[in-house]
Amino acid sequence: MASDDNVDLPVRRDWLERLPKVELHLHLEGAIPHAALWELICKYGGDPRVPDLDSLRGNFVYRDFPEFIDKWLWKQGFLREAADFESIGAAIAADLARQRIVYAEAFYSPWDARGFGLSTREMSLALRRGLSSVAEVEVALIADLVRDQGPVGAGITLEEVAQVAGEAGVIGIGIGGSEQLFPPEPFAAVYARARELGLRTTAHAGEVAGPESVWGAIRALRADRIDHGLRAVEDPALVTYLAERRLPVTACPGSNLATGAAASLESHPIRRFLDAGLLVSVSTDDPAMFGLSLAGELASLQSRLGFTDGDVRTLLLNAVESCWLPEERRSDLRARLVGDPAWTE
Ligand SMILES: [Zn+2]
């Protein structure tokens, strides 16, 4: 995992903290501040895996991607009622505001709560109430249709999401989950239907599965954005394609280190992607499960991979260009970033 213990080059960490930032690849259920998750664990009778708040951090370490999915599902067991989603929404939004993240497009997973009898509608609206209680940050929602439920289940979830999308501020869909077991192609009809419903589309691809999964997301799903995409680097023709089309890629280097998807930060392709002209931005994916923050990720890129202050600004402006706000609002967001006193410090 990326850590400040490995700092090589000097970094203005306080500047990175102060910069207004945009994050596009963030799973709300993976971003629950530990204190808020601990409250829910206590509410539901505690758990022998984590006897106290401090042990939560130690529990969130992973040998590989399947173990990460296992711990993700364990945590989901403490999200059962609408009130739980409202409280985590408020806690996450407060945490984003504290980090000076001013705009985020964040995933949530309606499918995961079904076991507790919570409807997609209740869950979506509860999250929206929590997120909108913090004025300093705007969070648009992306429904993660979670590939593990298969295309039929994803299609059902999509229809439920569409019915509440306007009220809950859901602007798009994606597929996360076990990429190595569920390739993109069977979800083509679900993605076509999402477009018909006026939703934008993104897909996790090239994280655990190879470049063929990125091609699948492009050709079969016609995704507007690629999440992770790191293994695209194995196919030079794909890198060229992504660069020429300016198809956005949301890179999450710290997450990739934590799950073993990347062997080291030095071997992560984010530097090569930026140099090749890809519209790449940086995100934390599941920051509370990986011990990450967006400023910390930018600091690692600077200290370990030699990203300059200019590169940091480029990554943030790439996030603005990659986001799904209407054109006029995207211009406003760009102006907010570059007009901030910290921008030119
Ligand atoms: Zn993700």
Side-chain angles (χ1 to χ4, degrees):
M1 183 187 299
S3 143
D4 286 354
D5 297 339
N6 296 318
V7 166
D8 299 319
L9 302 170
V11 169
R12 294 189 295 151
R13 178 63 184 256
D14 58 332
W15 175 65
L16 297 170
E17 298 284 355
R18 280 201 306 281
L19 274 176
K21 293 175 283 295
V22 172
E23 182 155 22
L24 302 181
H25 183 163
L26 179 74
H27 299 263
L28 292 177
E29 300 91 339
I32 308 166
H34 288 181
L37 179 58
W38 177 246
E39 271 183 37
L40 292 177
I41 292 170
C42 295
K43 174 179 172 180
Y44 292 114
D47 188 288
R49 278 206 210 189
V50 285
D52 52 44
L53 175 57
D54 287 341
S55 59
L56 253 185
R57 180 183 297 270
N59 185 52
F60 286 142
V61 293
Y62 321 97
R63 277 166 308 198
D64 51 25
F65 194 77
E67 186 177 10
F68 166 70
I69 295 286
D70 176 59
K71 289 185 174 172
W72 170 278
L73 294 174
W74 168 78
K75 163 192 57 62
Q76 292 300 95
F78 302 104
L79 299 171
R80 302 183 189 183
E81 300 174 345
D84 303 340
F85 285 92
E86 183 168 347
S87 70
I88 67 159
I92 294 163
D95 190 57
L96 294 173
R98 180 188 57 75
Q99 297 180 60
R100 286 224 72 200
I101 292 169
V102 295
Y103 178 72
E105 291 175 359
F107 293 101
Y108 76 115
S109 307
W111 185 55
D112 287 357
R114 194 153 301 159
F116 297 110
L118 193 63
S119 72
T120 295
R121 179 176 189 81
E122 290 173 303
M123 178 187 179
S124 307
L125 293 176
L127 270 176
R128 172 50 55 204
R129 283 194 298 276
L131 292 168
S132 295
S133 68
V134 178
E136 293 81 4
V137 58
E138 177 178 352
V139 183
L141 289 171
I142 305 171
D144 183 353
L145 303 182
V146 189
R147 59 220 304 154
D148 302 56
Q149 66 180 312
V152 173
I156 293 168
T157 305
L158 170 62
E159 297 300 330
E160 294 170 0
V161 165
Q163 287 177 17
V164 73
E167 280 173 87
V170 183
I171 60 170
I173 57 118
I175 42 170
S178 303
E179 196 179 283
Q180 72 280 20
L181 301 175
F182 297 91
E185 286 79 3
F187 296 87
V190 176
Y191 272 64
R193 175 66 178 149
R195 276 188 291 279
E196 207 173 85
L197 291 164
L199 294 165
R200 303 298 299 270
T201 61
T202 185
H204 282 54
E207 177 188 14
V208 181
E212 71 283 357
S213 73
V214 181
W215 281 123
I218 294 168
R219 289 172 173 156
L221 306 185
R222 295 171 50 207
D224 296 323
R225 216 155 64 194
I226 301 295
D227 295 311
H228 290 295
L230 70 155
R231 291 192 62 188
V233 77
E234 296 168 23
D235 181 346
L238 177 55
V239 172
T240 302
Y241 181 96
L242 292 168
E244 285 178 355
R245 306 293 173 107
R246 298 284 283 168
L247 190 65
V249 173
T250 63
C252 306
S255 158
N256 299 150
L257 292 186
T259 64
S264 66
L265 189 58
E266 288 70 20
S267 67
H268 195 281
I270 186 167
R271 174 85 258 174
R272 276 169 282 170
F273 284 170
L274 194 65
D275 291 344
L278 268 68
L279 186 57
V280 62
S281 56
V282 66
S283 290
T284 57
D285 205 6
D286 301 293
M289 295 182 71
F290 298 139
L292 301 175
S293 70
L294 189 50
E297 287 295 273
L298 294 167
S300 292
L301 294 177
Q302 290 206 293
S303 66
R304 307 271 301 283
L305 297 185
F307 277 57
T308 64
D309 291 352
D311 291 332
V312 166
R313 294 184 188 97
T314 298
L315 288 171
L316 292 172
L317 291 178
N318 282 354
V320 174
E321 190 177 337
S322 303
C323 85
W324 292 336
L325 286 171
E327 183 50 45
E328 192 182 342
R329 296 219 41 225
R330 208 161 49 191
S331 299
D332 291 345
L333 182 59
R334 173 187 288 266
R336 180 166 179 192
L337 262 61
V338 304
D340 191 277
W343 190 258
T344 49
E345 278 178 24

